[in-house]
């Protein structure tokens, strides 16, 4: 199993909680003895995960920054990343999915995962190529959501979108250049929200495959929102509609 590095309290604690068996070992700052560290050490012990105490400069060297908060885990791929069919079959009620078409900034990916978790999306779907992977920075920014939201990478996004359509999941594409407003979209049924990349937006084929295209009304001088902010606005509108409908 290929190991990845995850760091920061949220990310490591969440991995311990959701998928401890994927963790090979945890490195902690020997100088940290606060409550948060004690809780993490207890959780690691309970999960039978080896913990190695080192000085914090060694942690700096491993991560390449000081943003590790004194804890790093070496872990395998998240086992939540699984087969899309299996996932869809296991969802109770209408699926709510977030599709990211070629996000390149790990901070944006992490923030999208975090907001997907907050809004109760059932999965985040991303293309394998020409997009940032779920690296340590993305996992850190996700604040634990990388471990809780199923993250599915697909080799051919257009084909996956067609498969979602065959399952009668409405593909709702987002762009700042259409008249139809987010508030006209119906998110109460099975739905996949499709977001574009930071610079170019959705690729042509992705855009053409969507059933509807919607725009978040903008009231200021800038034309578009950051993709994670736009994901949050749309996903929480979807949640609102579903709450009202029940
Ligand atoms: C920075 S924007 C890219 C803007 C690009 N000009 C476009 O055509 O989409 C990144 C992504 O965030 C979403 N987004 C940002 N602002 C939006 C808005 N006002 N309405 C709908 N989606 C928006 C879209 O998914 C967009 O592709």
């Amino acid at each position: 199993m290929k190991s990845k590095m995850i760091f920061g309290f949220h990310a490591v604690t969440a991995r311990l909680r959701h998928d401890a068996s994927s963790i090979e070992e945890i490195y902690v700052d020997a100088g940290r003895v606060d409550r948060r560290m004690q809780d993490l050490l207890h959780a690691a012990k309970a999960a039978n995960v080896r913990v190695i105490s080192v000085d914090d400069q060694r942690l700096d060297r491993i991560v390449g920054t000081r943003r590790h908060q004194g804890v790093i885990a070496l872990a395998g791929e998240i086992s939540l990343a699984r087969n899309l069919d299996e996932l869809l079959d296991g969802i109770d009620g209408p699926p709510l999915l977030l599709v990211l078409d070629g996000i390149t900034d790990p901070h944006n990916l992490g923030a999208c995962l975090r907001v997907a978790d907050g809004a109760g999306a059932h999965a985040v779907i991303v293309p394998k190529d020409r997009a940032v992977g779920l690296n340590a920075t993305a996992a850190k920014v996700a604040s634990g959501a990388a471990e809780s939201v199923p993250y599915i990478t697909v080799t051919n996004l257009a084909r996956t979108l067609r498969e979602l359509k065959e399952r009668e999941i409405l593909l709702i594409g987002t762009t700042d250049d259409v008249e139809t407003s987010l508030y006209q979209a119906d998110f109460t049924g099975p739905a996949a929200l499709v977001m574009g990349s930071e610079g170019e937006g959705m690729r042509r084929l992705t855009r053409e495959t969507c059933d509807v295209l919607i725009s978040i009304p903008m009231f200021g001088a800038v034309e578009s929102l950051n993709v994670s902010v736009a994901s949050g606005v749309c996903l929480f509108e979807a949640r609102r509609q579903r709450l009202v409908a029940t």
Side-chain angles (χ1 to χ4, degrees), residues 51-201:
V51 176
I52 301 163
S53 291
V54 295
D55 67 56
D56 71 335
Q57 282 154 8
R58 173 137 176 237
L59 297 180
D60 295 350
R61 282 197 300 276
I62 297 175
V63 179
T65 81
R66 287 199 56 79
R67 292 173 37 243
H68 47 71
Q69 301 173 316
V71 53
I72 300 173
L74 280 187
E77 297 287 344
I78 300 161
S79 62
L80 275 175
R82 55 185 163 158
N83 178 287
L84 182 57
D85 283 327
E86 181 195 321
L87 179 113
L88 291 172
D89 289 344
I91 293 174
D92 199 16
L96 177 61
L97 308 172
L98 179 65
V99 178
L100 305 175
D101 185 17
I103 302 278
T104 54
D105 180 335
H107 296 92
N108 284 341
L109 175 61
C112 285
L113 282 162
R114 187 172 182 169
V115 81
D117 175 273
H122 295 100
V124 173
I125 300 172
V126 299
K128 216 168 241 153
D129 298 324
R130 273 173 267 150
V132 65
L134 184 45
N135 60 22
T137 302
K140 168 96 172 53
V141 174
S143 295
E147 329 296 321
S148 58
V149 182
Y151 174 81
I152 297 173
T153 54
V154 297
T155 41
N156 184 330
L157 187 64
R159 187 169 63 211
T160 299
L161 292 176
R162 286 196 296 274
E163 285 165 8
L164 293 178
K165 266 185 173 189
E166 279 161 22
R167 282 184 169 256
E168 299 189 348
I169 293 175
L170 186 70
L171 302 183
I172 304 177
T174 57
T175 171
D176 55 34
D177 64 7
V178 293
E179 292 295 316
T180 310
S181 152
L182 159 69
Y183 304 109
Q184 293 168 264
D186 180 6
F187 283 99
T188 55
L193 179 71
V194 186
M195 312 304 296
S197 70
E198 293 90 346
E200 301 297 318

Side-chain angles (χ1 to χ4, degrees), residues 174-176 194-202 214-216 218 223-227 230:
T174 57
T175 171
D176 55 34
V194 186
M195 312 304 296
S197 70
E198 293 90 346
E200 301 297 318
M202 285 179 288
I214 55 143
S215 174
I216 301 165
M218 302 286 289
E223 280 179 1
S224 65
L225 298 170
N226 168 277
V227 63

Side-chain angles (χ1 to χ4, degrees), residues 37-59:
M37 183 61 88
Q38 294 307 319
D39 289 346
L40 185 132
L41 295 175
H42 280 134
K45 190 168 181 200
N48 230 352
V49 174
R50 189 158 84 111
V51 176
I52 301 163
S53 291
V54 295
D55 67 56
D56 71 335
Q57 282 154 8
R58 173 137 176 237
L59 297 180

